[in-house]
Amino acid sequence: MHSPLSVAGAFAVASTLPLVWRREYLRPVAAVVLGASAASLLTGQVVLVTTSFAALYTLYALGRVLPRQSTGALAVGSVVTVGVVYLATDSLDDIPWPAAIVAVLAAIGLGDARRVVESAGRTEAAAAERQNETLTRLTAVQREQAVMRERARIARELHDVVAHSVSMIAVQAETAPYTMEELSPEARAGYTEIAKTAREALVEMRRLLSVLRADAKPEPEAANAPQPRLDRLPDLIDQHRGAGGAVDLAVHGDPRALSTTVELSAYRIVQEALTNARRHAPGAEVRVDLTYLPDRLAVRVRDGGASAPTMVLNREGAAPRTAVLDPSGAAGDAGRTRMEPVPGAPGGPDAASGPGGAAGAGGGHGLVGMRERATMLGGRFSAGPATEGGFLVEAELPLTREENPTREPGSQAPPDGGRTQG
């Protein structure tokens, strides 16, 4: 047994101790370790297991970090060194020279193979990360485009409503001097200025509409028809029944004529909800509730559900019946379009489905379009799985001051924030 204080022991310490710093200074450490191992063999010292293991481990570590050409040069140099040791000394006479060469090449080869595997893993991880980032950006762009398309569609619909009102202003202002006697020159000039301003507003609205239609796809001829109001809701119900759906319509409160904007928004919300029910819960029973309140119109559409899983918008925001929407469309969980699969929740959103998101007569973008219509009026909107099963869509559309004559000046909204019950 060799004493640790022997020359072989000193070479063993010199070839193993530097490995403590191999992670920080691999190349200098490898030079010291391999140099000490080669010196031990060339001086005829007894081959110790620690010295041999340190040399082989160092070759393996170098194979992990060196490029392929450098690894080849290291292998050639190591084989030449082993051959010189066999020719010049008898240190390795107890070990067959093929075994020594195989051990050296195996250590370097294992290191190189590990480098290839790790490099492939890093490349795959980087590619997956880039793909995820690309998909995230693409999803965000598609969602933004869907919102912008829906807003443009809503603006085109509202153009007809506003243009009609402005045209009436212009006509009445132009005819006032001829139908009203004893108008002062100042009044005549005022009516003339009103008519001129109204005509200019119509021209600007037409320009705005041309901008909105510049990048839009050609719309069907049905888009040029008069914008629907709630009096056409029974026809929409009949269309849904004709497509094989079961739907009940219930009207609560005191029905009355509302502004075209409110009625159009309510009609479109019901239309999109029925379309989603046909797509995600075909054959399910659907109930539509319209509630006329003093200061708002509440719309509630619930389907009975289907067994197939579907995609729903903001599962967390579906617990409360009504979610407050910021006018900018960026506040609250209800404004988010995070999507996750929820079993048994039909009527899921078409937030990212593009123009065909709500196939059918609506031609809108599912929950995105419903939310935008409610937000446009400063109202509330929520959608998600109903507690009693199925999928529930609720919207509350505030009425204008003129449409709320029964409300006393200075009175406040109900303490529940206008939340629809039931």
Side-chain angles (χ1 to χ4, degrees):
M1 185 172 182
H2 299 277
S3 172
L5 300 179
S6 63
V7 176
F11 278 120
V13 172
S15 60
T16 55
L17 183 60
L19 292 177
V20 176
W21 298 278
R22 67 188 183 279
R23 296 185 183 277
E24 294 82 4
Y25 313 102
L26 177 60
R27 287 174 173 79
V29 166
V32 173
V33 171
L34 294 179
S37 301
S40 174
L41 295 175
L42 291 174
T43 55
Q45 304 298 322
V46 177
V47 179
L48 300 180
V49 175
T50 54
T51 305
S52 302
F53 177 80
L56 294 176
Y57 177 79
T58 303
L59 293 175
Y60 166 79
L62 287 175
R64 286 186 59 183
V65 299
L66 294 178
R68 181 60 58 84
Q69 294 180 349
S70 300
T71 301
L74 176 65
V76 173
S78 300
V79 171
V80 170
T81 301
V82 171
V84 171
V85 169
Y86 271 100
L87 294 176
T89 67
D90 57 356
S91 300
L92 298 178
D93 288 348
D94 295 336
I95 303 175
W97 66 267
I101 293 178
V102 169
V104 169
L105 295 179
I108 299 175
L110 287 176
D112 182 69
R114 181 67 180 273
R115 178 188 61 81
V116 172
V117 172
E118 291 178 347
S119 177
R122 287 192 298 268
T123 302
E124 183 178 357
E129 183 177 359
R130 289 193 300 269
Q131 184 178 8
N132 290 336
E133 293 178 354
T134 301
L135 291 177
T136 300
R137 290 194 297 267
L138 179 60
T139 301
V141 170
Q142 289 178 342
R143 184 179 297 118
E144 182 179 357
Q145 290 178 348
V147 171
M148 297 305 296
R149 285 194 297 267
E150 188 64 20
R151 289 179 179 176
R153 177 173 175 263
I154 295 172
R156 290 193 296 270
E157 291 181 352
L158 294 182
H159 168 268
D160 298 336
V161 177
V162 179
H164 174 74
S165 301
V166 176
S167 297
M168 291 298 298
I169 294 174
V171 171
Q172 292 179 1
E174 289 176 346
T175 59
Y178 304 100
T179 58
M180 301 177 63
E181 299 179 357
E182 298 180 357
L183 282 179
S184 64
E186 292 80 5
R188 291 180 180 274
Y191 279 118
T192 302
E193 186 65 23
I194 292 174
K196 177 182 177 183
T197 303
R199 295 299 181 187
E200 291 177 352
L202 284 174
V203 173
E204 295 299 330
M205 287 182 60
R206 293 190 185 97
R207 291 175 181 172
L208 175 61
L209 185 63
S210 64
V211 172
L212 292 176
R213 287 174 173 169
D215 298 329
K217 295 181 179 179
E219 297 196 7
E221 295 180 0
N224 298 323
Q227 298 302 337
R229 302 187 65 157
L230 290 179
D231 57 358
R232 292 179 54 186
L233 202 54
D235 296 335
L236 182 63
I237 299 297
D238 292 338
Q239 292 177 7
H240 183 78
R241 291 170 179 166
V247 57
D248 291 327
L249 173 63
V251 180
H252 311 278
D254 183 18
R256 59 191 183 276
L258 306 177
S259 71
T260 306
T261 303
V262 173
E263 293 199 11
L264 174 61
S265 298
Y267 180 92
R268 292 303 189 193
I269 289 174
V270 174
Q271 186 180 43
E272 296 287 357
L274 292 178
T275 301
N276 275 351
R278 287 197 300 270
R279 294 185 62 203
H280 300 279
E285 295 184 358
V286 183
R287 179 176 176 84
V288 179
D289 291 282
L290 289 182
T291 305
Y292 288 85
L293 300 173
D295 59 345
R296 63 196 182 278
L297 174 65
V299 181
R300 186 176 188 269
V301 182
R302 176 183 171 271
D303 61 60
S307 58
T310 186
M311 304 297 291
V312 300
L313 175 68
N314 185 22
R315 186 179 184 181
E316 299 169 356
R321 288 299 182 87
T322 305
V324 179
L325 287 182
D326 182 76
S328 64
D333 284 342
R336 248 184 281 168
T337 54
R338 182 176 61 82
M339 304 179 71
E340 64 178 282
V342 178
D350 305 311
S353 60
H365 294 89
L367 296 186
V368 170
M370 300 184 220
R371 186 195 67 186
E372 290 299 324
R373 293 182 184 278
T375 305
M376 173 189 66
L377 298 174
R380 304 167 186 266
F381 175 78
S382 68
T387 55
E388 59 271 30
F391 196 82
L392 176 64
V393 172
E394 287 185 317
E396 294 185 358
L397 310 178
L399 309 182
T400 61
R401 188 181 304 273
E402 290 76 12
E403 294 161 352
N404 187 18
T406 60
R407 184 170 175 177
E408 295 296 332
S411 63
Q412 296 180 352
D416 63 349
R419 191 167 293 164
T420 304
Q421 302 297 329

